[in-house]
mmCIF file of all heavy atoms in Angstrom:
data_model
loop_
_atom_site.group_PDB
_atom_site.id
_atom_site.type_symbol
_atom_site.label_atom_id
_atom_site.label_comp_id
_atom_site.label_asym_id
_atom_site.label_seq_id
_atom_site.Cartn_x
_atom_site.Cartn_y
_atom_site.Cartn_z
ATOM 1 N N ILE A 1 0.859 -1.172 0.000
ATOM 2 C CA ILE A 1 0.000 0.000 0.000
ATOM 3 C C ILE A 1 0.897 1.224 0.000
ATOM 4 O O ILE A 1 1.939 1.237 0.665
ATOM 5 C CB ILE A 1 -0.954 0.004 1.219
ATOM 6 C CG1 ILE A 1 -2.010 1.106 1.084
ATOM 7 C CG2 ILE A 1 -0.196 0.137 2.528
ATOM 8 C CD1 ILE A 1 -3.130 0.985 2.122
ATOM 9 N N LEU A 2 0.513 2.227 -0.781
ATOM 10 C CA LEU A 2 1.301 3.446 -0.870
ATOM 11 C C LEU A 2 0.432 4.657 -0.577
ATOM 12 O O LEU A 2 -0.539 4.921 -1.295
ATOM 13 C CB LEU A 2 1.926 3.587 -2.266
ATOM 14 C CG LEU A 2 2.637 4.922 -2.559
ATOM 15 C CD1 LEU A 2 3.794 5.132 -1.590
ATOM 16 C CD2 LEU A 2 3.127 4.959 -4.006
ATOM 17 N N GLY A 3 0.776 5.341 0.494
ATOM 18 C CA GLY A 3 0.158 6.623 0.799
ATOM 19 C C GLY A 3 1.216 7.705 0.714
ATOM 20 O O GLY A 3 2.352 7.505 1.152
ATOM 21 N N ILE A 4 0.854 8.831 0.122
ATOM 22 C CA ILE A 4 1.815 9.926 0.000
ATOM 23 C C ILE A 4 1.248 11.183 0.647
ATOM 24 O O ILE A 4 0.031 11.395 0.660
ATOM 25 C CB ILE A 4 2.179 10.219 -1.472
ATOM 26 C CG1 ILE A 4 0.924 10.576 -2.275
ATOM 27 C CG2 ILE A 4 2.925 9.040 -2.082
ATOM 28 C CD1 ILE A 4 1.222 11.068 -3.677
ATOM 29 N N PRO A 5 2.108 12.035 1.219
ATOM 30 C CA PRO A 5 1.621 13.301 1.763
ATOM 31 C C PRO A 5 0.950 14.125 0.662
ATOM 32 O O PRO A 5 1.390 14.102 -0.496
ATOM 33 C CB PRO A 5 2.899 13.983 2.264
ATOM 34 C CG PRO A 5 3.894 12.872 2.430
ATOM 35 C CD PRO A 5 3.557 11.864 1.384
ATOM 36 N N ASP A 6 -0.104 14.831 1.012
ATOM 37 C CA ASP A 6 -0.822 15.649 0.034
ATOM 38 C C ASP A 6 -0.012 16.891 -0.281
ATOM 39 O O ASP A 6 -0.249 17.972 0.254
ATOM 40 C CB ASP A 6 -2.213 16.025 0.554
ATOM 41 C CG ASP A 6 -2.980 16.862 -0.463
ATOM 42 O OD1 ASP A 6 -2.665 16.766 -1.666
ATOM 43 O OD2 ASP A 6 -3.878 17.612 -0.051
ATOM 44 N N ILE A 7 0.929 16.711 -1.189
ATOM 45 C CA ILE A 7 1.842 17.788 -1.557
ATOM 46 C C ILE A 7 1.099 18.975 -2.169
ATOM 47 O O ILE A 7 1.623 20.094 -2.243
ATOM 48 C CB ILE A 7 2.914 17.237 -2.530
ATOM 49 C CG1 ILE A 7 4.167 18.119 -2.541
ATOM 50 C CG2 ILE A 7 2.359 17.029 -3.907
ATOM 51 C CD1 ILE A 7 5.012 17.940 -1.333
ATOM 52 N N ASN A 8 -0.151 18.749 -2.598
ATOM 53 C CA ASN A 8 -0.942 19.840 -3.168
ATOM 54 C C ASN A 8 -1.205 20.958 -2.155
ATOM 55 O O ASN A 8 -1.494 22.091 -2.540
ATOM 56 C CB ASN A 8 -2.261 19.322 -3.728
ATOM 57 C CG ASN A 8 -2.091 18.722 -5.113
ATOM 58 O OD1 ASN A 8 -0.975 18.551 -5.590
ATOM 59 N ND2 ASN A 8 -3.192 18.398 -5.763
ATOM 60 N N GLN A 9 -1.144 20.621 -0.876
ATOM 61 C CA GLN A 9 -1.295 21.663 0.141
ATOM 62 C C GLN A 9 -0.185 22.709 0.032
ATOM 63 O O GLN A 9 -0.349 23.846 0.476
ATOM 64 C CB GLN A 9 -1.293 21.045 1.546
ATOM 65 C CG GLN A 9 -2.527 20.211 1.840
ATOM 66 C CD GLN A 9 -2.543 19.686 3.271
ATOM 67 O OE1 GLN A 9 -1.711 20.039 4.092
ATOM 68 N NE2 GLN A 9 -3.502 18.826 3.566
ATOM 69 N N ILE A 10 0.939 22.315 -0.558
ATOM 70 C CA ILE A 10 2.043 23.245 -0.786
ATOM 71 C C ILE A 10 1.990 23.809 -2.207
ATOM 72 O O ILE A 10 2.136 25.009 -2.418
ATOM 73 C CB ILE A 10 3.405 22.542 -0.566
ATOM 74 C CG1 ILE A 10 3.467 21.945 0.841
ATOM 75 C CG2 ILE A 10 4.560 23.519 -0.781
ATOM 76 C CD1 ILE A 10 4.662 21.060 1.059
ATOM 77 N N LEU A 11 1.755 22.928 -3.188
ATOM 78 C CA LEU A 11 1.772 23.366 -4.586
ATOM 79 C C LEU A 11 0.740 24.455 -4.860
ATOM 80 O O LEU A 11 0.954 25.301 -5.731
ATOM 81 C CB LEU A 11 1.520 22.174 -5.516
ATOM 82 C CG LEU A 11 2.568 21.059 -5.504
ATOM 83 C CD1 LEU A 11 2.220 20.005 -6.546
ATOM 84 C CD2 LEU A 11 3.958 21.614 -5.746
ATOM 85 N N ILE A 12 -0.367 24.444 -4.142
ATOM 86 C CA ILE A 12 -1.410 25.441 -4.366
ATOM 87 C C ILE A 12 -0.905 26.853 -4.077
ATOM 88 O O ILE A 12 -1.480 27.850 -4.546
ATOM 89 C CB ILE A 12 -2.666 25.103 -3.508
ATOM 90 C CG1 ILE A 12 -3.902 25.797 -4.082
ATOM 91 C CG2 ILE A 12 -2.446 25.452 -2.048
ATOM 92 C CD1 ILE A 12 -5.206 25.312 -3.459
ATOM 93 N N LYS A 13 0.198 26.938 -3.323
ATOM 94 C CA LYS A 13 0.775 28.242 -2.968
ATOM 95 C C LYS A 13 1.947 28.638 -3.871
ATOM 96 O O LYS A 13 2.503 29.723 -3.718
ATOM 97 C CB LYS A 13 1.259 28.209 -1.510
ATOM 98 C CG LYS A 13 0.171 27.862 -0.500
ATOM 99 C CD LYS A 13 0.761 27.686 0.890
ATOM 100 C CE LYS A 13 -0.299 27.235 1.891
ATOM 101 N NZ LYS A 13 0.296 26.980 3.238
ATOM 102 N N ILE A 14 2.320 27.743 -4.800
ATOM 103 C CA ILE A 14 3.459 28.014 -5.676
ATOM 104 C C ILE A 14 2.954 28.576 -6.998
ATOM 105 O O ILE A 14 2.388 27.852 -7.813
ATOM 106 C CB ILE A 14 4.309 26.749 -5.896
ATOM 107 C CG1 ILE A 14 4.875 26.272 -4.555
ATOM 108 C CG2 ILE A 14 5.429 27.009 -6.888
ATOM 109 C CD1 ILE A 14 5.707 25.013 -4.641
ATOM 110 N N LYS A 15 3.147 29.842 -7.205
ATOM 111 C CA LYS A 15 2.580 30.549 -8.353
ATOM 112 C C LYS A 15 3.094 29.989 -9.670
ATOM 113 O O LYS A 15 4.292 29.858 -9.882
ATOM 114 C CB LYS A 15 2.906 32.042 -8.252
ATOM 115 C CG LYS A 15 2.165 32.898 -9.270
ATOM 116 C CD LYS A 15 2.419 34.371 -9.031
ATOM 117 C CE LYS A 15 1.643 35.223 -10.032
ATOM 118 N NZ LYS A 15 1.862 36.670 -9.815
ATOM 119 N N ARG A 16 2.134 29.604 -10.524
ATOM 120 C CA ARG A 16 2.402 29.114 -11.876
ATOM 121 C C ARG A 16 3.373 27.930 -11.902
ATOM 122 O O ARG A 16 4.026 27.660 -12.905
ATOM 123 C CB ARG A 16 2.907 30.247 -12.776
ATOM 124 C CG ARG A 16 1.914 31.401 -12.904
ATOM 125 C CD ARG A 16 2.412 32.511 -13.801
ATOM 126 N NE ARG A 16 2.345 32.131 -15.211
ATOM 127 C CZ ARG A 16 1.250 32.174 -15.967
ATOM 128 N NH1 ARG A 16 0.092 32.555 -15.433
ATOM 129 N NH2 ARG A 16 1.287 31.835 -17.238
ATOM 130 N N GLY A 17 3.466 27.203 -10.782
ATOM 131 C CA GLY A 17 4.265 25.990 -10.737
ATOM 132 C C GLY A 17 5.761 26.208 -10.827
ATOM 133 O O GLY A 17 6.507 25.268 -11.127
ATOM 134 N N ARG A 18 6.220 27.428 -10.554
ATOM 135 C CA ARG A 18 7.654 27.710 -10.654
ATOM 136 C C ARG A 18 8.334 27.535 -9.304
ATOM 137 O O ARG A 18 7.927 28.129 -8.313
ATOM 138 C CB ARG A 18 7.870 29.142 -11.133
ATOM 139 C CG ARG A 18 8.075 29.324 -12.631
ATOM 140 C CD ARG A 18 7.026 28.711 -13.480
ATOM 141 N NE ARG A 18 7.206 29.094 -14.910
ATOM 142 C CZ ARG A 18 6.283 28.933 -15.806
ATOM 143 N NH1 ARG A 18 5.126 28.390 -15.481
ATOM 144 N NH2 ARG A 18 6.500 29.286 -17.070
ATOM 145 N N LEU A 19 9.388 26.731 -9.281
ATOM 146 C CA LEU A 19 10.130 26.515 -8.037
ATOM 147 C C LEU A 19 11.017 27.700 -7.690
ATOM 148 O O LEU A 19 11.370 27.889 -6.520
ATOM 149 C CB LEU A 19 10.979 25.250 -8.149
ATOM 150 C CG LEU A 19 10.202 23.930 -8.078
ATOM 151 C CD1 LEU A 19 11.149 22.755 -8.291
ATOM 152 C CD2 LEU A 19 9.470 23.792 -6.754
ATOM 153 N N LEU A 20 11.382 28.485 -8.674
ATOM 154 C CA LEU A 20 12.235 29.640 -8.422
ATOM 155 C C LEU A 20 11.448 30.932 -8.645
ATOM 156 O O LEU A 20 10.576 30.986 -9.508
ATOM 157 C CB LEU A 20 13.463 29.614 -9.347
ATOM 158 C CG LEU A 20 14.386 28.395 -9.186
ATOM 159 C CD1 LEU A 20 15.483 28.431 -10.250
ATOM 160 C CD2 LEU A 20 14.999 28.358 -7.794
ATOM 161 N N PRO A 21 11.699 31.963 -7.831
ATOM 162 C CA PRO A 21 12.752 32.014 -6.808
ATOM 163 C C PRO A 21 12.322 31.509 -5.434
ATOM 164 O O PRO A 21 13.163 31.174 -4.607
ATOM 165 C CB PRO A 21 13.068 33.508 -6.744
ATOM 166 C CG PRO A 21 11.766 34.162 -7.070
ATOM 167 C CD PRO A 21 11.100 33.284 -8.090
ATOM 168 N N THR A 22 10.999 31.469 -5.133
ATOM 169 C CA THR A 22 10.579 31.152 -3.760
ATOM 170 C C THR A 22 9.875 29.801 -3.626
ATOM 171 O O THR A 22 9.736 29.284 -2.526
ATOM 172 C CB THR A 22 9.638 32.245 -3.227
ATOM 173 O OG1 THR A 22 8.472 32.307 -4.078
ATOM 174 C CG2 THR A 22 10.318 33.593 -3.218
ATOM 175 N N GLY A 23 9.458 29.234 -4.743
ATOM 176 C CA GLY A 23 8.681 27.992 -4.671
ATOM 177 C C GLY A 23 9.423 26.850 -4.014
ATOM 178 O O GLY A 23 8.832 26.049 -3.286
ATOM 179 N N ILE A 24 10.720 26.763 -4.254
ATOM 180 C CA ILE A 24 11.507 25.676 -3.679
ATOM 181 C C ILE A 24 11.487 25.717 -2.159
ATOM 182 O O ILE A 24 11.443 24.679 -1.491
ATOM 183 C CB ILE A 24 12.964 25.724 -4.213
ATOM 184 C CG1 ILE A 24 13.750 24.503 -3.747
ATOM 185 C CG2 ILE A 24 13.648 27.024 -3.815
ATOM 186 C CD1 ILE A 24 13.308 23.220 -4.361
ATOM 187 N N PHE A 25 11.469 26.910 -1.575
ATOM 188 C CA PHE A 25 11.453 27.030 -0.114
ATOM 189 C C PHE A 25 10.082 26.644 0.454
ATOM 190 O O PHE A 25 10.005 26.023 1.522
ATOM 191 C CB PHE A 25 11.833 28.453 0.292
ATOM 192 C CG PHE A 25 13.216 28.842 -0.132
ATOM 193 C CD1 PHE A 25 13.401 29.722 -1.180
ATOM 194 C CD2 PHE A 25 14.332 28.307 0.488
ATOM 195 C CE1 PHE A 25 14.684 30.078 -1.597
ATOM 196 C CE2 PHE A 25 15.614 28.648 0.083
ATOM 197 C CZ PHE A 25 15.785 29.529 -0.963
ATOM 198 N N LYS A 26 9.038 26.996 -0.262
ATOM 199 C CA LYS A 26 7.699 26.585 0.163
ATOM 200 C C LYS A 26 7.593 25.066 0.170
ATOM 201 O O LYS A 26 6.985 24.465 1.060
ATOM 202 C CB LYS A 26 6.643 27.190 -0.760
ATOM 203 C CG LYS A 26 6.516 28.701 -0.645
ATOM 204 C CD LYS A 26 5.516 29.251 -1.660
ATOM 205 C CE LYS A 26 5.419 30.765 -1.557
ATOM 206 N NZ LYS A 26 4.523 31.339 -2.583
ATOM 207 N N LEU A 27 8.212 24.447 -0.838
ATOM 208 C CA LEU A 27 8.172 22.990 -0.941
ATOM 209 C C LEU A 27 8.979 22.332 0.169
ATOM 210 O O LEU A 27 8.512 21.390 0.821
ATOM 211 C CB LEU A 27 8.711 22.579 -2.310
ATOM 212 C CG LEU A 27 8.424 21.155 -2.797
ATOM 213 C CD1 LEU A 27 6.936 20.917 -2.896
ATOM 214 C CD2 LEU A 27 9.089 20.918 -4.138
ATOM 215 N N LEU A 28 10.173 22.840 0.415
ATOM 216 C CA LEU A 28 11.061 22.234 1.408
ATOM 217 C C LEU A 28 10.547 22.384 2.833
ATOM 218 O O LEU A 28 10.590 21.444 3.629
ATOM 219 C CB LEU A 28 12.460 22.850 1.293
ATOM 220 C CG LEU A 28 13.266 22.488 0.038
ATOM 221 C CD1 LEU A 28 14.557 23.293 -0.010
ATOM 222 C CD2 LEU A 28 13.567 20.998 0.003
ATOM 223 N N PHE A 29 10.053 23.581 3.153
ATOM 224 C CA PHE A 29 9.667 23.853 4.529
ATOM 225 C C PHE A 29 8.194 23.580 4.809
ATOM 226 O O PHE A 29 7.767 23.572 5.965
ATOM 227 C CB PHE A 29 10.013 25.303 4.884
ATOM 228 C CG PHE A 29 11.478 25.599 4.810
ATOM 229 C CD1 PHE A 29 11.979 26.506 3.885
ATOM 230 C CD2 PHE A 29 12.379 24.947 5.643
ATOM 231 C CE1 PHE A 29 13.340 26.775 3.801
ATOM 232 C CE2 PHE A 29 13.738 25.207 5.569
ATOM 233 C CZ PHE A 29 14.226 26.116 4.644
ATOM 234 N N GLY A 30 7.416 23.339 3.760
ATOM 235 C CA GLY A 30 5.989 23.110 3.964
ATOM 236 C C GLY A 30 5.622 21.663 4.246
ATOM 237 O O GLY A 30 4.544 21.382 4.773
ATOM 238 N N LYS A 31 6.526 20.723 3.932
ATOM 239 C CA LYS A 31 6.184 19.307 4.054
ATOM 240 C C LYS A 31 5.799 18.906 5.476
ATOM 241 O O LYS A 31 4.924 18.062 5.680
ATOM 242 C CB LYS A 31 7.352 18.437 3.563
ATOM 243 C CG LYS A 31 7.543 18.452 2.070
ATOM 244 C CD LYS A 31 8.441 17.335 1.589
ATOM 245 C CE LYS A 31 9.841 17.441 2.103
ATOM 246 N NZ LYS A 31 10.725 16.363 1.575
ATOM 247 N N LYS A 32 6.447 19.521 6.446
ATOM 248 C CA LYS A 32 6.199 19.120 7.833
ATOM 249 C C LYS A 32 4.810 19.529 8.318
ATOM 250 O O LYS A 32 4.359 19.056 9.368
ATOM 251 C CB LYS A 32 7.270 19.719 8.744
ATOM 252 C CG LYS A 32 7.286 21.229 8.833
ATOM 253 C CD LYS A 32 8.394 21.712 9.759
ATOM 254 C CE LYS A 32 8.401 23.221 9.913
ATOM 255 N NZ LYS A 32 8.691 23.918 8.650
ATOM 256 N N ASN A 33 4.150 20.415 7.576
ATOM 257 C CA ASN A 33 2.836 20.895 7.993
ATOM 258 C C ASN A 33 1.677 20.267 7.224
ATOM 259 O O ASN A 33 0.526 20.670 7.391
ATOM 260 C CB ASN A 33 2.778 22.424 7.845
ATOM 261 C CG ASN A 33 3.748 23.134 8.769
ATOM 262 O OD1 ASN A 33 3.873 22.765 9.935
ATOM 263 N ND2 ASN A 33 4.442 24.134 8.256
ATOM 264 N N ILE A 34 1.962 19.284 6.381
ATOM 265 C CA ILE A 34 0.905 18.612 5.615
ATOM 266 C C ILE A 34 0.015 17.806 6.554
ATOM 267 O O ILE A 34 0.509 17.081 7.425
ATOM 268 C CB ILE A 34 1.527 17.711 4.526
ATOM 269 C CG1 ILE A 34 2.184 18.586 3.450
ATOM 270 C CG2 ILE A 34 0.472 16.804 3.905
ATOM 271 C CD1 ILE A 34 2.925 17.807 2.395
ATOM 272 N N THR A 35 -1.289 17.937 6.376
ATOM 273 C CA THR A 35 -2.243 17.304 7.298
ATOM 274 C C THR A 35 -3.055 16.183 6.673
ATOM 275 O O THR A 35 -3.886 15.581 7.355
ATOM 276 C CB THR A 35 -3.224 18.354 7.847
ATOM 277 O OG1 THR A 35 -3.941 18.945 6.751
ATOM 278 C CG2 THR A 35 -2.489 19.443 8.620
ATOM 279 N N ARG A 36 -2.846 15.909 5.379
ATOM 280 C CA ARG A 36 -3.620 14.860 4.712
ATOM 281 C C ARG A 36 -2.673 13.971 3.911
ATOM 282 O O ARG A 36 -1.600 14.395 3.481
ATOM 283 C CB ARG A 36 -4.665 15.442 3.756
ATOM 284 C CG ARG A 36 -5.483 16.589 4.312
ATOM 285 C CD ARG A 36 -6.512 16.143 5.321
ATOM 286 N NE ARG A 36 -7.712 15.604 4.692
ATOM 287 C CZ ARG A 36 -8.746 15.143 5.373
ATOM 288 N NH1 ARG A 36 -8.722 15.142 6.697
ATOM 289 N NH2 ARG A 36 -9.807 14.668 4.762
ATOM 290 N N ILE A 37 -3.087 12.736 3.717
ATOM 291 C CA ILE A 37 -2.342 11.834 2.848
ATOM 292 C C ILE A 37 -3.297 11.255 1.809
ATOM 293 O O ILE A 37 -4.511 11.194 2.029
ATOM 294 C CB ILE A 37 -1.651 10.687 3.623
ATOM 295 C CG1 ILE A 37 -2.687 9.809 4.330
ATOM 296 C CG2 ILE A 37 -0.614 11.213 4.590
ATOM 297 C CD1 ILE A 37 -2.080 8.554 4.942
#
């Protein structure tokens, strides 16, 4: 069985899907606050 953290809780805040300049930090530091899988 494979469950993954709902990374969309972070991606929804990343404008136009761009990791740079700030999206990468939202992705790295947001994982610990994910509440759904």
Side-chain angles (χ1 to χ4, degrees):
I1 190 169
L2 172 61
I4 59 172
D6 181 24
I7 201 75
N8 279 8
Q9 291 184 7
I10 303 171
L11 296 184
I12 200 169
K13 302 173 184 177
I14 298 179
K15 190 174 182 180
R16 300 180 74 81
R18 265 53 172 195
L19 286 176
L20 299 175
T22 60
I24 187 69
F25 298 107
K26 292 176 181 176
L27 196 60
L28 290 174
F29 298 116
K31 288 195 296 182
K32 64 180 182 296
N33 296 317
I34 291 175
T35 60
R36 314 286 280 180
I37 62 172

